[in-house]
Amino acid sequence: MNWTDERVEKLKRLWSEGLSASQIAAQLGGVSRNAVIGKVHRLNLPGRAKAGGTVATSRPAAKRPAAPTTPRATNFPARPATVRPAPRTVGATALKDDLDIDTAQVLEYVPVSNASLPTSLRLTLTELTERTCKWPVGDPLKDDFHFCGCEASESSPYCKFHAKMAYQPVSERRRA
């Protein structure tokens, strides 16, 4: 179905008279209610009176939130969460309890100074075997790039130290 000039004029007239999209579709014939709604939207015809509201003359442009001018650092203290008491209702939602939300705790990163790192054997790609750790160290585009090279277990391509870094438990990943 094509929207001819006559059909568009009839649509505008019927819309201004206050007919519903279904009624307009029935009078135009060969067009669905959704097609009428889409055409009204594309023509930017004035909206309808809502229950208890006013008639909108045109669709307001969607407002986008302003982009922050400076990036936020991750070490800012978190805002305390506000708890609004939920009204008790009947039915299926009656079993839901009010949630007590504690304020977020700000964790500060403190590098460990007494950690013992394994001594890297600094192997190149051609020197790796099935029993050596294949943990990459550094930038692959730089000359000092190498692999750990420590002894790896049979079930992992990494040594014990790098396996702990690579395979974190699900609960710890969720916390992070």
Side-chain angles (χ1 to χ4, degrees), residues 63-127:
K63 292 185 180 179
R64 291 184 154 183
T69 55
T70 58
R72 251 187 111 185
T74 57
N75 58 357
F76 280 128
R79 289 186 222 150
T82 58
V83 179
R84 296 183 187 139
R88 296 280 182 171
T89 58
V90 294
T93 58
L95 299 176
K96 293 182 181 177
D97 291 329
D98 293 337
L99 298 176
D100 292 331
I101 300 174
D102 296 332
T103 58
Q105 190 178 31
V106 178
L107 299 176
E108 214 174 296
Y109 175 73
V110 178
V112 178
S113 59
N114 61 354
S116 60
L117 299 175
T119 305
S120 174
L121 299 179
R122 304 180 62 91
L123 299 181
T124 63
L125 182 63
T126 56
E127 297 171 329

Side-chain angles (χ1 to χ4, degrees), residues 138-155:
D139 185 2
L141 300 176
K142 304 284 182 179
D143 290 334
D144 64 341
F145 176 73
H146 61 276
F147 293 91
C148 172
C150 292
E151 184 177 344
S153 66
E154 291 183 20
S155 61

Side-chain angles (χ1 to χ4, degrees), residues 50-71:
K50 294 187 174 131
T54 61
V55 177
T57 56
S58 67
R59 231 172 234 252
K63 292 185 180 179
R64 291 184 154 183
T69 55
T70 58

